[in-house]
Amino acid sequence: MQHANSRWKRFLTALPEYACVVVLLVIVVLAGILAPNFFTADNLLNVLKQASVVCVVAIGMGCVLISGCMDLSVGVIMAICAILSMTLQKYTGDVGAIAITLCAGAALGLFNFFVVYITRARAIEIMMLTFGLKMAYRGLAQALTGNVTFREETSPFFSSLGKGTLLGVPTIVLIMLGVALIVGVIISRSRFGREVVCIGNNPEASRLSGISISRTRLKCFLIAGLCCAVAGILLASRTRAVNALSGDGYEMDAMCGLIIGGYAVFGGYGSVWRAVLGVFEYSAIKNVLNLLGVSSYGQQLAQGVILLIAVWGDVYLRERRAGGKSR
Amino acid sequence: MSKQKVLAFFKRYKSVAILLFLLLFMAVVKPMFYRPAILRNVLLKVSIQGIIGFGMTFALVAGEFDMSVGSVLTLSGILFATLLPGMGFFPAFLLTMAAGAVMGLINGTLVARMRVNSFIATLGAQYIYKALALLISGGTPIKADNPVVVALSEFRIGGNTIFPFVFLLVGLLSAYVLKRTRVGRNIYATGGNAEVTANSGINVKAYKTLVFVIVCCAAAFAGVLMTIRMQSATTIAGDDTSLTVISSVIIGGTSPAGGVGGAFESFIGLLIIAIVTSSLDILGISGYYQQVAQGFLTVAIIGAISYSNYRKTEAL
């Protein structure tokens, strides 16, 4: 009896770690009951393809989140990168366009870091700062492009990135998995990755043990910028029509996915498989709502409710684990 | 007033110096700014958002944010316009305010009882309220041509609409509540140090919930006023409101960390932002660049505040 009790306790303490797996099971069961056509191969592949772009954004944003920062401007950085990659490749060719786009994404990520660094911002202040930056970037992008939608003829290689298949698997999914693998290895297998988790958990202790907070965060923002650039290229290639409002709301989608996946809202916890799983779960929920014929307004409502439940679940489970202590 | 007193005043209210600088700047660059029609427009611009600004002062003083006010404004405007034909002006008004209080209660419960971070909780709530507004209205504007609404909308006091006067009244009321009542003092205490306040027997959770009810009621009231002013309600009415209001209140000198600030500071901050946006209009800067300016202004304000917070903690 004692033994079973302690096993139950251990299960309860481990539960927060695997809440996202439980959520997956719930989604699968609910989708099976409510919308059996969810499980057709076509539909599942569609969910995967739709989620891939947000997933790449979320992987990058996740690094920033683990380090205890937040970047709410990722959606618009992605839009800028999408416009750049689409318009440039007429002049510079595929390789040039992709290279310049990656540089632009990295530069914007670095600029965000620079703003956060010189102002010595913390938690909430970082959110407000990047929210302001998001507004500024969006306004600049709209002003400079005249808010037109770019529809360029793209080269076969460029189109194949978002639309093609390789051995029957969509290339976009493969690229997403590639990004996930690279960033995943960096976060969970390298010294830098451990430092990121450290400074997210306790910046002061990390500083005292000789980790440079600013240098580590700089790399995190750099990864986020690069991921946005990759996502932008994928978006441009997949939709073939991009404008300054393209990525509107992607930061919230990515955020929802990350929190559902089990990332701690204020840093110190997360790994890339959680980001991928969380975003897919989020997309699957949206897809099921679509299949059930819920209007876009209803879906927006659901998005808010999902975000709130996920954040509350995060707080609740973490507090339970910490022995009922408040934050 | 001696020189020292003046210096002390400006040290306490840095925002007043910014306001004076702006007024002087416009006087030199575009004297046209001082035409009565334009000043009246600035007042009108500030008044409806400003009512939310005073509500937001309560939230920030208590150390919390409310990012959902824009959507609360939109939803209450739509609700008011929808209820108006069926039940007349006053019942519709009261029901809308009650709905605002319920939204505040939801936000407050999320933050105070369920301990979700207020920024994220209200960001999620913002989606819900906006979606409700879209679901109720179907995404189309709703006309509000009730005779009382039309009369209020067209009423003039010395050439001014009623809105600046309502704004000033709400300002005086919030200054009184914050500075002269027990509720106000307890809100300051909650924002200053929640743990100490809780230990000295004040129900911190109740006060945190209360500030959300106050700010959402203010936003609902602003939604009703917006509907009265436009004689119609749209689903985009409050889209940029939250950030504008929060940055106005913060630039006035109310700290997002809580416990500092007040209605007078917010009043100055609201005037500053309203003058900046009107000046951008007058200087002929287009809408997109205004968005850019507002974004960078937010970055500059929040950045300056977080840097000064950092300096303060370093000095300890």
Side-chain angles (χ1 to χ4, degrees), chain B residues 84 102 107 109 120:
Chain B
L84 207 49
V102 170
N107 289 356
T109 309
I120 296 173

Side-chain angles (χ1 to χ4, degrees), chain A residues 72 115 118-122 124-125 127-129 131-133 135-136 138-140 142-144 147 252 265-266 297 300-301 303-305 307-308 311-312 315 319 326, chain B residues 65 67 110 114-117 119-121 123-125 127-128 130-132 134-135 138-139 243 246 288-289 291-292 294-296 298-299 302-303 306-307 309-310 313:
Chain A
L72 293 177
V115 170
I118 57 164
T119 57
R120 306 289 199 281
R122 276 165 294 193
I124 278 295
E125 294 159 349
M127 282 195 209
M128 294 289 293
L129 279 177
F131 204 90
L133 284 171
M135 266 185 93
R138 176 91 65 207
L140 266 180
Q142 281 178 303
L144 294 179
N147 216 7
M252 291 321 291
V265 178
F266 286 102
Y297 303 151
Q300 209 179 331
L301 187 76
Q303 185 181 3
V305 174
L307 179 66
L308 286 183
V311 184
W312 173 70
V315 174
E319 280 185 0
S326 63
Chain B
F65 273 90
M67 293 296 289
L110 278 169
M114 294 158 88
R115 284 195 286 278
V116 180
N117 174 273
F119 190 89
I120 296 173
L123 216 52
Y127 277 94
I128 297 177
K130 178 82 188 277
L132 283 176
L134 287 166
L135 281 172
L243 199 65
I246 291 177
Y288 297 139
Y289 284 108
Q291 203 187 336
V292 177
Q294 210 189 342
F296 278 126
T298 313
V299 170
I302 307 283
S306 69
Y307 188 69
N309 283 346
Y310 163 78
T313 47

Side-chain angles (χ1 to χ4, degrees), chain A residues 254-317:
Chain A
M255 184 82 163
C256 284
L258 288 172
I259 295 170
I260 293 173
Y263 276 63
V265 178
F266 286 102
Y269 192 82
S271 49
V272 167
W273 68 270
R274 291 178 180 281
V276 177
L277 189 60
V279 172
F280 277 124
E281 286 172 2
Y282 181 66
S283 306
I285 295 170
K286 273 192 162 176
N287 180 264
V288 170
L289 288 175
N290 244 333
L291 292 177
L292 293 175
V294 178
S295 72
S296 69
Y297 303 151
Q299 289 187 29
Q300 209 179 331
L301 187 76
Q303 185 181 3
V305 174
I306 292 167
L307 179 66
L308 286 183
I309 292 176
V311 184
W312 173 70
D314 172 64
V315 174
Y316 180 75
L317 291 174

Side-chain angles (χ1 to χ4, degrees), chain B residues 204-309:
Chain B
V204 168
K205 282 183 184 172
Y207 278 103
K208 290 224 167 182
T209 314
L210 177 70
V211 294
F212 281 101
V213 173
I214 292 175
V215 63
C216 284
C217 278
F221 188 44
V224 171
L225 289 180
M226 188 74 105
T227 308
I228 291 175
R229 195 188 127 197
M230 305 298 215
Q231 297 182 21
S232 75
T234 63
T235 49
I236 54 161
D239 270 4
D240 296 326
T241 309
S242 303
L243 199 65
T244 314
V245 165
I246 291 177
S247 43
S248 309
V249 174
I250 291 177
I251 200 178
T254 301
S255 158
V260 186
F264 175 69
E265 283 92 332
S266 298
F267 178 67
I268 302 290
L270 287 161
L271 280 184
I272 290 176
I273 296 284
I275 289 174
V276 167
T277 49
S278 312
S279 309
L280 291 173
D281 276 339
I282 294 169
L283 295 171
I285 290 165
S286 78
Y288 297 139
Y289 284 108
Q290 284 197 21
Q291 203 187 336
V292 177
Q294 210 189 342
F296 278 126
L297 194 67
T298 313
V299 170
I301 298 163
I302 307 283
I305 286 164
S306 69
Y307 188 69
S308 76
N309 283 346

Side-chain angles (χ1 to χ4, degrees), chain A residues 53-62 64 70-84 101 104-105 108-109 112 130-139 141-142 221 224-236 242-255 258, chain B residues 127 291:
Chain A
V53 177
V54 181
C55 219
V56 174
V57 174
I59 290 167
M61 192 179 178
V64 177
M70 176 119 11
D71 192 345
L72 293 177
S73 69
V74 284
V76 61
I77 293 182
M78 188 198 73
I80 292 171
C81 290
I83 294 171
L84 267 181
T101 307
L108 286 170
N112 285 358
T130 52
F131 204 90
L133 284 171
K134 169 191 142 181
M135 266 185 93
Y137 292 159
R138 176 91 65 207
Q142 281 178 303
F221 276 94
L226 286 172
C227 284
C228 288
V230 173
I233 294 168
L234 292 180
L235 184 81
V242 289
N243 64 19
L245 291 171
S246 282
D248 201 20
Y250 270 45
E251 62 276 347
M252 291 321 291
D253 291 352
M255 184 82 163
L258 288 172
Chain B
Y127 277 94
Q291 203 187 336

